[in-house]
Amino acid sequence: MNSKTWIGWAAIAIGVCAVVSAFAVSSTQAGQGFAFGFGAFIAFFGALSVLAHNRTPDHWGLLLVGLAMFTVPFVGNPYNFDRGASWTCWVAGGLAIILGGFAWTHDRTPTEYGITELGDSQQLRHPWSFLIGRMALIIGLASVLLGIAFRSTAAGTAVTIGLGGLIAVVAVWSLLASEPTHNFLTLGITGFALFLSPWVAGFTADSLAWTAWVAGALATALGVVGYLRDERLDFATAVRDDSAERYRRRFR
């Protein structure tokens, strides 16, 4: 196993075990939903860290998800007494904190990209990059409209409209950015949250659940494809070099 990706594979294993445990040992709907959602996100960040070139954002995400998963049983009154879900969150969350923290502290310090604000580096972007942003914007707006149109629980409506609106906002950010790699990562995370929301918020029986599943899956796919493609092409370096050259021509 590649020494640079073992943390990602370990996170995938922890996330999958947490998802299985959520359904096997939970005794409340809230506990099952939270354990399932957090476990799925641990596996999600683990998979991204295996595939990405710069793993620092994914390790940071793994650390944050692990911390949230570990602490939520203490503050989540709906399943304080659901021992199965609580122990799933404590064990999986604790392991994710250890993995994410260890990896993040050993990652190289990320380069500051403030210089990329100089000039219009959007000319370096490929047409597919703008296409991803436009498609995500349509998906986000459609989620908001369907969330308003369909009758569902208060939680289902709020989650679908809220996350759909966030997808639309992130899509606009990706269209305006000179270097949208991390906007695509945010898009993938938000889409995955929307995809998981019917199970976590407990509205799987409503028609609005299909809106969340389809829109969330599409947004996740678009965000992950855009993020990994930019990572593989090292687009951030191309933008930074182009901006540095513009800076030298203007001020030197």
Side-chain angles (χ1 to χ4, degrees), residues 20-218:
V20 173
S21 177
F23 290 103
V25 301
S26 298
S27 59
T28 63
Q29 181 64 43
Q32 183 185 92
F34 275 105
F36 167 75
F38 281 122
F41 257 109
I42 288 175
F44 177 74
F45 279 115
L48 287 181
S49 71
V50 170
L51 298 172
H53 176 70
N54 174 22
R55 299 177 177 88
T56 302
D58 309 313
H59 292 159
W60 178 237
L62 181 62
L63 174 63
L64 291 181
V65 169
L67 182 61
M69 188 177 190
F70 183 83
T71 57
V72 75
F74 296 106
V75 298
N77 289 325
Y79 73 104
N80 264 346
F81 302 102
D82 185 346
R83 308 308 295 176
S86 295
W87 277 105
T88 298
C89 289
W90 288 331
V91 173
L95 292 174
I97 291 172
I98 294 171
L99 284 176
F102 174 81
W104 183 61
T105 55
H106 286 76
D107 285 333
R108 293 182 178 180
T109 303
T111 304
E112 298 294 335
Y113 296 120
I115 194 172
T116 60
E117 299 300 321
L118 178 68
D120 180 18
S121 296
Q122 283 201 337
Q123 62 181 334
L124 299 177
R125 293 177 58 174
H126 294 279
W128 59 261
S129 179
F130 292 103
L131 179 61
I132 288 176
R134 295 188 187 102
M135 292 177 66
L137 179 59
I138 294 172
I139 291 170
L141 293 177
S143 299
V144 172
L145 294 176
L146 291 174
I148 296 172
F150 286 129
R151 291 186 177 182
S152 180
T153 62
T157 301
V159 168
T160 304
I161 294 176
L163 291 178
L166 185 56
I167 287 173
V169 170
V170 174
V172 172
W173 288 347
S174 73
L175 290 171
L176 297 177
S178 295
E179 197 281 287
T181 305
H182 291 96
N183 299 120
F184 289 146
L185 175 59
T186 305
L187 175 63
I189 293 171
T190 307
F192 194 56
L194 180 59
F195 177 76
L196 296 176
S197 63
W199 292 290
V200 177
F203 63 100
T204 54
D206 297 342
S207 57
L208 191 58
W210 282 102
T211 298
W213 286 327
V214 174
L218 292 175

